[in-house]
Amino acid sequence: METTAGRPRDARIDAAVLAATRAVLAESGYAAVTFTEVAARAGTSVPAIRRRWPSKMHLVHRVVFPLDVAIPPRDPSATVDDELRGVIGGCALLFADDAMRRALVGVFSELADDDELQHEITARMQEVVIADLGERLSLAAVRDGVAIDADPALLIEVAFGSTLMAVMIRGVASLDAAWRADMLDVLRGIVGAR
């Protein structure tokens, strides 16, 4: 939820708040993020932040799951493999970010304790990202001349979960070319192109 009534939002404040939040996360982790700290770093006020993001979770989720990473620009000639590589690359980019890794424990903890918040926060990903991926895959399948049995939600869950585990167990360096090739094989199996 990032809507407001009245005069248009100042994009400079949005950018400053998001950058300040990312910096606090990367330096000190989820627990250190407060609206007071973020406002001081961003040169704005707590009420200005609250008008944009009603809770710390909304703000942090917006920082660590940016739509420009989750929904990259479209390539009208992309193949199914290209789209799957895009999912893999997006997940790797998310988990290469210090702010994301330091936010995860707090994000998972809060979402586990509040079903309503979990639904509200993840709706953006489900409604926008999964719908976009489904459309991308359908268009790519037509271009490739194949039929696919893909559940975009499952693809994202597998890619995201696998990336998270690889980073937790082996570190960011594990997201190398070999790992990406293996993930592509896994996602190809889920897509079931025929």
Side-chain angles (χ1 to χ4, degrees):
M1 172 193 294
E2 298 175 33
T3 60
T4 60
R7 68 176 187 231
R9 285 192 344 202
D10 185 339
R12 293 171 299 179
I13 293 174
D14 289 13
V17 168
L18 294 172
T21 304
R22 177 174 297 287
V24 175
L25 283 168
E27 292 166 14
S28 307
Y30 184 82
V33 175
T34 65
F35 281 1
T36 301
E37 175 65 18
V38 170
R41 288 185 184 219
T44 190
S45 67
V46 170
I49 297 173
R50 287 201 182 279
R51 280 193 298 275
R52 291 160 168 81
W53 297 280
S55 74
K56 171 179 165 173
M57 174 58 71
H58 288 86
L59 174 58
V60 168
H61 194 268
R62 174 63 178 80
V63 168
V64 299
F65 294 107
L67 286 181
D68 62 332
V69 172
I71 303 178
R74 289 203 182 191
D75 175 356
S77 63
T79 65
V80 171
D81 274 5
D82 292 335
E83 296 297 357
L84 295 178
R85 283 188 197 96
V87 171
I88 294 163
C91 288
L93 188 60
L94 286 175
F95 284 104
D97 180 51
D98 290 338
M100 161 63 114
R101 290 193 312 279
R102 301 212 56 195
L104 283 177
V105 172
V107 168
F108 288 156
S109 177
E110 280 203 38
L111 293 183
D113 289 342
D114 189 333
D115 289 343
E116 187 174 322
L117 180 64
Q118 187 272 339
H119 176 73
E120 182 182 342
I121 291 293
T122 60
R124 178 176 70 123
M125 298 298 282
Q126 293 177 15
E127 294 167 5
V128 178
V129 176
I130 292 171
D132 178 74
L133 178 59
E135 186 176 307
R136 285 169 181 266
L137 287 171
S138 294
L139 293 171
V142 168
R143 285 190 290 271
D144 286 358
V146 298
I148 57 174
D149 299 319
D151 175 354
L154 180 60
L155 284 168
I156 290 173
E157 290 166 7
V158 169
F160 187 88
S162 298
T163 310
L164 169 62
M165 290 308 296
V167 168
M168 286 179 60
I169 294 169
R170 296 181 285 135
V172 174
S174 68
L175 306 180
D176 58 11
W179 177 86
R180 289 172 189 244
D182 288 345
M183 277 303 304
L184 181 58
D185 286 342
V186 169
L187 295 187
R188 281 177 179 149
I190 293 170
V191 166
R194 60 192 192 295

